[in-house]
């Protein structure tokens, strides 16, 4: 494995690196911003790449926000972006279900463990669903629920997929219904399987937590549509046709972003040091995941 | 490994087998009864063992029922038993916390993911707790909760243990609080880690489901105080002093009951065929778990 090239301050190196790609896939948190803090020179860097005719796709594992929600965040941050350029894990799941999995109707409805972001993206791809934010599921399980779930009378016979994402309203009733659909053969998907969620300067249970109880019960893990799962890369490709050899993944986390690009056989990967991974992580002798190049921050690309 | 001895109809073999033990540990569901169906001749068999001076302990992974709840079930079934003879996984956890773990006060309070059965058993052993059935935790998470959980103002500084059991009122708020205690160093225990719960002739998420999301978030599994974990055997021994070489485990499941007895280096194990495991499971050439002996049903011990 070649050691990663350090590009900060290397004008010629940056020029050569950028010339090798037509498409850049960007992770967002840790690359463009951290929470509500925008990193320096990000909007100008994005504009510079656009001015060179690069296609940009913002790939995020956040499943509670829809692309429209995400677009608002870009607007607030002053980063020029289109809704169509945002590719969240909820949308990834919707694209995967509608364009790749393509279960035959009528048994192609989705039972959702998740928030409205998931529902909006399923709507956008014309995928039918139940569960999700439906108030009927936001309550404690009652004795008659056990009977009606077990005998199927509380189930929708058209459900063929269970999709688990981050669900702030997770409860035993939803878990029981999801588990029952899986026992009856439903396909098990997850928007992403991030174990924790950074919030309020601490960590909270991540998207994987919503599916974990059900996964334990059924004894198998869901197929994740988030980074670093290649099902997400397939979904990105299902929407945007691109030449993988001319595509670069930009991210801050080795085990999700950079691995996602390497597993996807992209032409290159670019690590930024404004997020989770430190340069020691990939410069170490025994580093598992090594990017093609790295820079201090995205703004360094301005040279 | 010696093949298991088949005892049904073998009067002399039964006599010799029983003479090797002073103590019998019994699994309940699948051995004494199935749901509300009592197996034939169970009360007489239990009485026969008592008349021979055997000590009996009923060891169950059910964590939602207290020993007093369980005693009521024995009464309904017409099986003579004392509360003190019942050893459920909630009680096992309470005994483990109070008599084996013995964290120094004041940081020895337990945050409970579970139902009142867990609380009653903690009370019985004088263990302090919070969470559990407290209505304050039976609600959706609110934006201010994220802040107050993260900064610790919503936490009890005396909590040093998180105990996860079957919780029909599991929600994201409880999971977040439990995860925060674990991030701050709390010991992670589970009453048991059964993946599913048989109810209404189907399966529902089991005790492991309550802890699974939190376990995924923190990246480690809880120590289980249920079968086949030897922490439960230690807890049984912590309460009843007995000679393991003169003790026999009776159960229907190879991977929990019989394994529990083998791992605990008991003098013997006895499988009954009225529950989950079939004789093909342990008579197979490649069987992982083989009991000392087996019988068609517990009543077969009457000869």
């Amino acid at each position: 494995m070649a050691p990663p090239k350090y590009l900060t301050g290397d004008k010629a190196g940056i020029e050569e690196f950028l010339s090798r790609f037509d498409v850049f896939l960007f992770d967002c948190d840790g690359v463009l911003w951290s929470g509500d803090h925008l990193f320096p020179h990000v909007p100008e860097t994005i504009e510079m790449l656009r001015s060179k005719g690069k296609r940009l796709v913002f790939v995020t594992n956040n499943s509670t926000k829809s692309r429209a929600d995400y677009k608002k965040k870009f607007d607030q941050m002053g980063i020029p972006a289109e809704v169509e350029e945002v590719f969240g894990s909820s949308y990834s799941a919707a694209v995967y279900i509608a364009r790749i999995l393509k279960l035959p109707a009528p048994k192609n409805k989705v039972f959702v463990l998740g928030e409205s972001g998931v529902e909006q993206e399923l709507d956008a791809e014309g995928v039918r669903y139940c569960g999700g934010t439906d108030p009927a599921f936001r309550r404690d399980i009652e004795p008659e629920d056990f009977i009606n779930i077990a005998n199927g009378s509380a189930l929708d016979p058209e459900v063929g997929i269970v999709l688990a994402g981050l669900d702030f309203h997770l409860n035993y009733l939803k878990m029981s219904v999801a588990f029952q659909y899986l026992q009856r053969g439903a396909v098990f998907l997850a928007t992403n399987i991030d174990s924790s969620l950074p919030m309020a300067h601490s960590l909270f249970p991540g998207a994987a937590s919503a599916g974990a109880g059900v996964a334990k019960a059924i004894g198998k893990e869901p197929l994740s549509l988030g980074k670093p799962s290649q099902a997400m890369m397939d979904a990105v490709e299902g929407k945007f046709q691109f030449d993988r050899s001319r595509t670069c993944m930009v991210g801050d986390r080795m085990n999700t972003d950079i691995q996602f690009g390497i597993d996807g056989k992209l032409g290159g990967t670019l690590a930024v040091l404004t997020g989770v991974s430190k340069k020691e992580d990939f410069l170490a002798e025994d580093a598992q995941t090594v990017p093609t190049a790295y820079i201090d921050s995205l703004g360094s690309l301005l040279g």
Side-chain angles (χ1 to χ4, degrees), chain A residues 25 27 38-39 79 81 130 166 173 194 216 237 250 272 285 291 296:
Chain A
L25 308 182
D27 176 43
L38 180 70
F39 293 132
I79 303 174
C130 56
L166 187 58
L173 174 64
D194 292 55
K216 181 74 86 173
E237 198 176 40
V250 185
V272 297
E285 281 269 334
D296 291 349

Side-chain angles (χ1 to χ4, degrees), chain A residues 15-245:
Chain A
E15 203 64 34
E16 189 275 329
F17 187 81
L18 296 182
S19 72
R20 286 155 59 189
F21 306 106
D22 302 323
V23 180
F24 286 84
L25 308 182
F26 281 93
D27 176 43
C28 300
D29 201 78
V31 176
L32 307 177
W33 57 66
S34 173
D36 288 329
H37 170 68
L38 180 70
F39 293 132
H41 308 301
V42 165
E44 305 94 285
T45 310
I46 296 296
E47 274 171 10
M48 177 273 287
L49 291 169
R50 289 193 195 286
S51 73
K52 289 180 182 289
K54 310 297 185 190
R55 168 164 232 174
L56 310 182
V57 182
F58 301 98
V59 180
T60 166
N61 272 7
N62 188 318
S63 69
T64 56
K65 286 196 172 76
S66 69
R67 288 169 301 152
D69 295 333
Y70 240 77
K71 162 69 171 141
K72 279 183 208 142
K73 173 129 193 181
F74 277 85
D75 288 348
Q76 282 162 11
M77 290 292 185
I79 303 174
E82 300 302 317
V83 167
E84 289 300 311
E85 293 174 325
V86 178
F87 207 94
S89 61
S90 291
Y91 185 62
S92 177
V95 169
Y96 183 85
I97 290 166
R99 307 190 192 190
I100 297 173
L101 190 59
K102 292 192 279 195
L103 291 186
K107 210 169 171 66
N108 57 1
K109 202 185 266 192
V110 178
F111 181 76
V112 175
L113 292 177
E115 299 290 338
S116 63
V118 179
E119 296 176 335
Q120 288 173 48
E121 300 301 30
L122 292 174
D123 278 332
E125 287 286 308
V127 175
R128 299 173 311 139
Y129 58 84
C130 56
T133 62
D134 184 348
F137 291 96
R138 291 191 170 175
R139 60 177 179 83
D140 287 337
I141 196 166
E142 300 291 341
E144 61 269 28
D145 290 318
F146 286 101
I147 296 161
N148 296 334
I149 292 168
N151 69 21
S153 64
L155 302 180
D156 184 328
E158 299 191 347
V159 167
I161 298 160
V162 168
L163 173 60
L166 187 58
D167 188 348
F168 296 127
H169 301 81
L170 184 69
N171 60 36
Y172 190 84
L173 174 64
K174 289 187 193 183
M175 288 169 65
S176 297
V177 171
F179 179 33
Q180 188 62 231
Y181 283 125
L182 293 174
Q183 289 178 73
R184 291 164 184 245
V187 175
F188 191 16
L189 305 178
T191 56
N192 61 311
I193 48 170
D194 292 55
S195 59
S196 61
L197 173 75
M199 287 275 276
H201 309 290
S202 186
L203 295 174
F204 286 78
S209 63
V214 176
K216 181 74 86 173
I218 197 71
K220 72 175 177 197
E221 294 298 321
L223 173 67
S224 167
L225 273 302
K227 294 174 288 183
S229 166
Q230 287 304 305
M232 189 185 210
M233 190 68 86
D234 294 342
V236 176
E237 198 176 40
K239 169 154 176 157
F240 307 100
Q241 301 303 320
F242 59 79
D243 177 353
R244 292 193 185 207
S245 73

